Amino acid sequence: METTAKPNKIDEIRKGIERMHLEGRSADQLMQGITLLLNRQMLKYNWVGFYMLEEKTDPPVLVLGHFQGAMTPHTRIPLNQGICGAAASSGKTVVVDDVRKDPRYLACSLETKSEIVVPIFVRGKVMGELDIDSHFPAAFGVEDRALIEYCAELVGKRLENK
Ligand code: SME
């Protein structure tokens, strides 16, 4: 499978994100740092953002948090809608190589061709997710997925106060 960047570039970014975590940043600062780093350094990650679960709402909804890229009309997403809702409700990473072919897709930008959404677990429960859109089809290969899952894992750990 084609990847968006050479593995050493991905390694470099992984180290940068690990450093932010080790510096003891708050979950909020960590999420902001991740969106900036991924959007600036990974050239095919054209929109990078977090959605966090608002549990006080009945039924719960995903609410847009830190993001980089164009403003999206989808600031609140119910769990039964979109790729975002699918990832949060199943607790599984969803990779869509061609968003036009996925009926679940909620359009954010006409330029988006592919998308990945990775759930964030806190004490075994989905509490949010990291969503990335690309203007390129099939932009998220195996190494990208591993990097993005690592970011989601660190945010989950920080939310658990680890
Ligand atoms: N495409 C997402 C909606 C969020 S925007 O991409 C930022 C979805 O289908 O859930």
Side-chain angles (χ1 to χ4, degrees), residues 98-110:
D98 180 352
V99 293
R100 288 169 312 174
K101 291 189 181 151
D102 195 317
R104 298 170 300 182
Y105 176 65
L106 297 172
C108 170
S109 137
L110 290 175

Side-chain angles (χ1 to χ4, degrees), residues 12-50:
E12 199 184 292
I13 290 171
R14 195 183 166 97
K15 286 196 190 108
I17 287 168
E18 187 183 20
R19 216 174 298 130
M20 286 184 204
H21 184 252
L22 293 174
E23 277 168 6
R25 297 189 190 204
S26 67
D28 195 57
Q29 291 168 331
L30 188 59
M31 288 190 271
Q32 185 173 34
I34 288 171
T35 59
L36 281 165
L37 190 68
L38 292 183
N39 182 241
R40 285 188 188 157
Q41 301 288 323
M42 298 297 282
L43 301 180
K44 292 187 179 179
Y45 293 13
N46 302 106
W47 191 94
V48 180
F50 286 90

Side-chain angles (χ1 to χ4, degrees), residues 47 51 72 74 77 81-85 104-106 108 115 131 133:
W47 191 94
Y51 283 92
T72 169
H74 304 293
I77 304 177
Q81 285 181 26
I83 313 288
C84 286
R104 298 170 300 182
Y105 176 65
L106 297 172
C108 170
E115 176 163 13
D131 177 14
D133 291 353

Side-chain angles (χ1 to χ4, degrees), residues 39-143:
N39 182 241
R40 285 188 188 157
Q41 301 288 323
M42 298 297 282
L43 301 180
K44 292 187 179 179
Y45 293 13
N46 302 106
W47 191 94
V48 180
F50 286 90
Y51 283 92
M52 302 311 287
L53 195 69
E54 186 178 87
E55 289 184 295
K56 64 173 198 257
T57 313
D58 186 21
V61 288
L62 294 159
V63 178
L64 182 64
H66 286 291
F67 72 96
Q68 290 294 316
M71 185 56 193
T72 169
H74 304 293
T75 55
R76 296 174 70 82
I77 304 177
L79 292 183
N80 61 356
Q81 285 181 26
I83 313 288
C84 286
S89 55
S90 66
K92 295 208 165 77
T93 295
V94 180
V95 180
V96 180
D97 286 343
D98 180 352
V99 293
R100 288 169 312 174
K101 291 189 181 151
D102 195 317
R104 298 170 300 182
Y105 176 65
L106 297 172
C108 170
S109 137
L110 290 175
E111 288 173 297
T112 298
K113 302 282 188 303
S114 60
E115 176 163 13
I116 182 169
V117 185
V118 177
I120 295 167
F121 288 90
V122 179
R123 286 178 268 280
K125 196 168 171 288
V126 176
M127 291 308 291
E129 58 192 23
L130 175 52
D131 177 14
I132 305 185
D133 291 353
S134 178
H135 295 172
F136 299 84
F140 306 104
V142 180
E143 288 89 357

